[in-house]
Every structure is written in C-alpha cells, then in structure tokens.
Amino acid sequence: MSRHPEVLWAQRSDRVFLTVALPDAKDISVKSYPEGSFSFSATGLHGEIFHFNLEFYGKIVPEKCRTKAGLRNIICSIQKEEKGWWKRLLKSEEKPAPYIKVDWNKWCDEDDEESNSDLASDDDDDDVHVGEDDESSDDEGMLYLPDLEKARGN
C-alpha cells in the first residue's frame, strides 16, 4: 500500500511549482503528459512507497517540465501549455486531497508576478533557487523529466 507525501503548490502565469515533502527520497519517478496528467512515486527513508497522480486544470508541456531532488524535498516545475492563471490546481472542482496544500512561501498573486520572482527551495542547499532575477535561467539546477528518468535508470 502506498502513502501520499505532502504536496505544496504555487503557480505563475507560465508554470506550476510542486514541492513534494519527502526527505531522503530514493527511486524518484515523475511522469507528465500533455493533457495535464502527472504521476509521482518514490521510496521513503524507511522503504515505504509514496505515490500520487494529479489531473491538472490545464494542459502542460511535458518536455519542458523539470524536477530537482534535494535532501528534504523534490521540486517539480511544470510548464503550462498556455500562459495564464489557472483558477485552481486540479481539473476536478471537488476539494483537493488533504495532502495537497498551497505553498504560501512561493505564492504570488497575478498582480505581483513581475515583482515577486524569487522562489527558493526549502532545502539545505542554499544554492538551489528557481526563478531568480539574475543571469541564470529559471530552470538552472532543474532536470528535464526525460533526463531524470535516464539518471534513475527508468
């Protein structure tokens, strides 16, 4: 039987960020599909299996989705197919599962998007940042999903 890790989410007009709280995760597998399906699985510190599937509100671009595995969490940067703000994370209008929560540390309103682009990882590695306004790209340190699968031997 698999368990669900805590999943925090935030968005920008072009991306959705998922932070999966799973310290020392192994065998991480992340898959995404254009229609908006997203699948995550990993093995926890004590060998327990964690797994979840999401059906996003809108379509995504899987080849531009990236994942960064840290010591305490896994950050997934998911590229939206069309730029714009989703009114919710999931396609379903039902209340999301209790393990899915808003990431208030990364959240910004539509009006604040230009001025609030500093998304830092909640990891021990102070050099891990997503979306800083410097000369690096928004995706520095992130792996394309196909690259992650190759690195994990999938």
Side-chain angles (χ1 to χ4, degrees), residues 14-150:
D14 63 338
R15 293 187 174 277
V16 170
F17 295 97
L18 298 180
T19 302
V20 182
L22 194 56
D24 300 316
K26 294 179 247 167
D27 303 323
I28 300 166
S29 174
V30 177
K31 294 185 168 70
S32 60
Y33 303 94
E35 72 277 1
S37 296
F38 181 87
S39 173
F40 173 92
S41 67
T43 304
L45 182 61
H46 302 291
E48 61 273 61
I49 303 296
F50 290 86
H51 178 78
F52 66 88
N53 291 311
L54 301 175
E55 291 293 327
F56 291 126
Y57 180 78
K59 294 182 179 183
I60 60 174
V61 183
E63 53 277 0
K64 291 193 176 181
C65 296
R66 295 173 179 70
T67 300
K68 168 79 171 108
L71 296 176
R72 290 188 282 179
N73 55 40
I74 298 101
I75 299 175
C76 302
S77 172
I78 297 120
Q79 179 76 41
K80 295 177 181 178
E81 183 180 83
E82 293 182 21
K83 196 170 184 174
W85 289 80
W86 293 350
K87 59 183 176 180
R88 60 184 175 270
L89 176 65
L90 303 176
K91 189 178 288 187
S92 170
E93 291 187 29
E94 295 177 16
K95 183 177 178 180
Y99 65 90
I100 300 172
K101 301 173 182 172
V102 172
D103 189 344
W104 295 113
N105 292 325
K106 293 181 182 171
W107 191 265
C108 82
D109 293 321
E110 289 180 62
D111 303 340
D112 299 335
E113 182 174 24
E114 295 303 315
S115 63
N116 185 7
S117 62
D118 186 22
L119 286 179
S121 166
D122 190 25
D123 207 345
D124 289 331
D125 184 359
D126 291 335
D127 294 327
V128 179
H129 295 281
V130 181
E132 282 189 277
D133 282 332
D134 62 10
E135 295 177 6
S136 66
S137 78
D138 286 352
D139 303 318
E140 187 174 303
M142 302 295 272
L143 291 173
Y144 285 101
L145 289 176
D147 294 339
L148 178 66
E149 290 172 6
K150 276 191 248 174

